[in-house]
Amino acid sequence: MELRIGWLYPTLMSTYGDRGNVICLQQRCQWREITATVVPLDRQAEADLFKNVDIIVGGGAQDRQQEIVMRDLQGAKAENFRQRIEAGIPGVFTCGSPQLLGKYYEPALGQRIEGLGLLDLETKHPGINASRCIGNVVFELTASPLAEELREMLGKTPIALGFENHGGRTYLGNVSPLGKVIKGYGNNGEDGWEGAFYRHAIATYSHGPLLPKNPFLADWLIQTALKEKYQTPISLTKLDDSLALQARQAMFNRLELSSLVKNP
Amino acid sequence: MQILDRLRLGLAVATAKLVTAIVKGLKLGAASVLPGEISRRLHPRLLPLLFEQVNKGVILIVGTNGKTTTSLLLRTILENQEQKVTHNATGANLINGLITALLADTNLIGRLTTDYAILEVDENVLPLVLKDCTPQYILGLNLFRDQLDRYGEVDTISYRWQQAINPLPQESKIILNADDPTLAYLGQNLSQNVVYFGLNEPELYLETIPHAVDSIYCPSCGHLLDYKGVYLSHLGDYTCPSCDFSKPKLMLNSSDWGQILIGVYNKYNTLAAGVLSLEIGVKQAAINETIRSFKAAFGRAEELTVQGKHIRILLSKNPVGMNETIRAVNTLKKQGKSSTSLILLNDRTPDGTDVSWIWDVDTETLVKSGGTIIVSGDRTYDMALRLKYSQDSLGDAGSPVNLVIEENLSKALQTALDGTPSHETLHILPTYSAMLEVRKLLTGRQIL
């Protein structure tokens, strides 16, 4: 079996260790002897490359870099990207990249950046002197059918753990939130929702990076990608995730989330 | 200074000195921040009143990496010229730390007698300091991503610097690293006289551009920059193929210069202090003399011997810094001079509370070069997980490296010392607060 992991603009959009998500997916494939190739979807990349990737990963960018990305992600590239997401290939978009999938982003300095409009969400930065939403974040995954599938995989309520650090505040329109905040700010620090979920695309402010400490999400992405590609349900061999569990336990303990400490 | 101001200044200074005496007397800490905080409450204009009294000039040093080492070298060069220097030597680089350093050289009635004040200033605090101070020199070392949880992004910082520096008088001299495109662009947008240092030694180019790179796009037009070669992170020889932006002309030939300590990053620190000293009027021969005899600041390539084992501490607090320390350690590993490393990851305020940066570090190269890696710190398991994902196979059997996970710092340190053969060097790679902790354990006392 083989998977091609498309990485959106690795040189422009990789501000907060987002590369960890790519490393995590690739290693968890290779440890299971599934060949995983990373395909950089950079400015030099041909639009056709988007057509044969099986998973798409996107990270965060600084405002200026995000502008450069949006100028490049137009025409055939944008269209192919949109088609892949609509066709149901899984994706994980952290920090800045959800803004780019949304309708627009208004940065602290400079012009409004138009997004792809794939997700019905808007993001505004309240100004250069406004405080950023920073800290460890914990949320329950509630989006359907993701939450049900994860519950079946794990045999318990799926809880994600990460770190958020964003100036922009995101407001959802007609799109399902990814989860419900237990600790932290989430999309805007007001409505209690975190991220968004559309088709098989996960959008979230939570980095840390997201996947290494939530390995069930990485496995869900791999499993979904294989199922979409080979059109048959595939079950993955279990991996030893004791280190990730210890890392989760240590953080739950610090955040005084006692029920999660017992069952990280 | 008016008489009332003088009295109030005296009161603030006397109080601060009392606090310092108490804190140090009771061994509560290094007293590098608290006296500043208290005295500033007693006199809000304390900082400008202190700055005014510096005899020959205030030198501000800013940048993500290298502030402490560069300051220390510059201080040593000037002191060897019989100059009296005030310096915030504990790396306390927020406003209260600056005040505390200046107060230490102030007498009881608030009179400060010093020739130069060398002040390491936190990236985000520079605009605030410039409201109170007209420096003779500002030295800009580099801008990397570091503690983004506190500061936001490289571009925002550079923009704020530009806004803060431009109103200064024309006499203020700005010395910048030409190899950093963000700083070169800043220099172009300043009205003051700008002098550039940097490298022009292609033999020091890295083979590939590392992942942890911030600024390879033209800060002027946004086009991808054309690099002839990279010395470290995004520092290198570049031109923009689309507009007229390119690396500015250097005021010296870097191959004529030696360097302090180990690693390319310390060559930059050497050049930075060297250029500033030349600007002040120190003779090149005298500068070279100091470079040759220089000893490290605490935790920055500092060397110690404990329990008969040789130790080198390499502060590793952001992706660029850690990539460079790994580069240095791997070189020594290949020469058979080191096989054991101790990595300490903390996530307290001085470290930055976001540890995601460890995924931007190329830890794969450290794992590949083998030996033993011991992991500890507040975020032991996060670091262990990063190293686990740096291995080709999940099981321990096929791993080139022996990974030891120990939450307890004293135990981790003892394991590392025990595992280091006496003819080798143990390398400790700590974040800032972890460096203070481990140093305390090694020396049995606090810094300063």
Side-chain angles (χ1 to χ4, degrees), chain A residues 7 10-12 14-21 23-25 27-28 30-31 42-44 61-65 68 71 109 128-129 132 134-136 163-165 207-209 211-213 215 239-241 243-244 246-247 250-251 254, chain B residues 145 148-156 159-160 182 211 213-224 347 353-364 378-379 381-382 384-386 388-394 403 405 407:
Chain A
W7 185 2
T11 63
L12 285 158
S14 194
T15 307
Y16 300 101
D18 300 308
R19 171 172 74 156
N21 291 331
I23 294 174
C24 181
L25 286 171
Q27 293 290 67
R28 294 182 79 82
Q30 283 177 350
W31 290 339
D42 235 316
R43 293 212 297 182
Q44 299 84 342
Q62 304 190 46
D63 287 351
R64 177 160 56 94
Q65 272 78 351
I68 299 173
R71 275 208 301 274
L109 298 167
I128 191 164
N129 293 317
R132 298 172 70 85
I134 299 175
N136 293 294
F163 195 95
E164 61 182 326
N165 179 358
H207 63 270
L211 299 181
K213 280 186 15 199
L239 296 176
D240 174 8
D241 282 317
L243 270 180
Q246 280 173 294
M251 185 45 70
R254 180 169 337 162
Chain B
R145 68 179 87 161
L148 289 163
D149 56 327
R150 283 198 297 155
Y151 298 155
E153 300 154 340
V154 166
D155 292 336
T156 318
Y159 176 77
R160 285 192 185 137
T182 312
H211 172 75
V213 158
D214 291 296
S215 174
I216 55 169
Y217 288 86
C218 177
S220 178
C221 75
H223 197 280
L224 191 65
D347 66 349
T353 53
D354 183 358
V355 297
S356 63
W357 63 269
I358 60 174
W359 292 84
D360 288 324
V361 180
D362 298 325
T363 43
E364 286 78 6
D378 301 341
R379 300 293 286 264
Y381 295 104
D382 285 79
L385 201 55
R386 174 72 190 99
K388 205 80 190 172
Y389 274 101
S390 307
Q391 304 178 7
D392 292 334
S393 59
L394 181 61
L403 180 62
I405 299 162
E407 272 187 273

Side-chain angles (χ1 to χ4, degrees), chain B residues 163-291:
Chain B
Q163 301 292 98
I165 296 173
N166 258 329
L168 293 176
Q170 296 305 302
E171 296 74 46
S172 291
K173 193 157 241 175
I174 318 299
I175 294 156
L176 296 173
N177 188 341
D179 294 1
D180 188 330
T182 312
L183 294 188
Y185 183 65
L186 169 73
Q188 285 186 358
N189 288 292
L190 295 177
S191 54
Q192 288 83 5
N193 194 352
V194 180
V195 171
Y196 293 97
F197 68 94
L199 293 174
N200 53 337
E201 296 172 72
E203 60 274 22
L204 295 179
Y205 284 161
L206 279 172
E207 278 167 33
T208 51
I209 295 187
H211 172 75
V213 158
D214 291 296
S215 174
I216 55 169
Y217 288 86
C218 177
S220 178
C221 75
H223 197 280
L224 191 65
L225 288 172
D226 208 344
Y227 274 90
K228 229 172 97 192
V230 167
Y231 296 111
L232 180 173
S233 183
H234 62 271
L235 310 185
D237 293 327
Y238 55 85
T239 49
C240 177
S242 148
C243 69
D244 60 359
F245 179 73
S246 67
K247 173 166 159 169
K249 207 170 148 27
L250 306 180
M251 74 93 70
L252 50 74
N253 180 12
S254 66
S255 54
D256 295 345
W257 289 67
Q259 75 162 80
I260 54 167
L261 310 172
I262 54 168
V264 172
Y265 54 109
N266 280 315
K267 176 107 195 200
Y268 277 111
N269 296 337
T270 309
L271 294 171
V275 167
L276 210 152
S277 305
L278 286 175
E279 287 294 322
I280 286 175
V282 183
K283 294 274 185 302
Q284 174 112 34
I287 299 172
N288 288 342
E289 186 51 43
T290 308
I291 290 172

Side-chain angles (χ1 to χ4, degrees), chain B residues 424-445:
Chain B
E424 289 188 4
T425 301
L426 164 65
H427 284 97
I428 303 181
L429 282 64
T431 56
Y432 189 80
S433 75
M435 183 269 285
L436 298 185
E437 279 185 317
V438 77
R439 218 181 158 280
K440 197 169 157 188
L441 286 174
L442 286 168
T443 61
R445 64 188 149 84

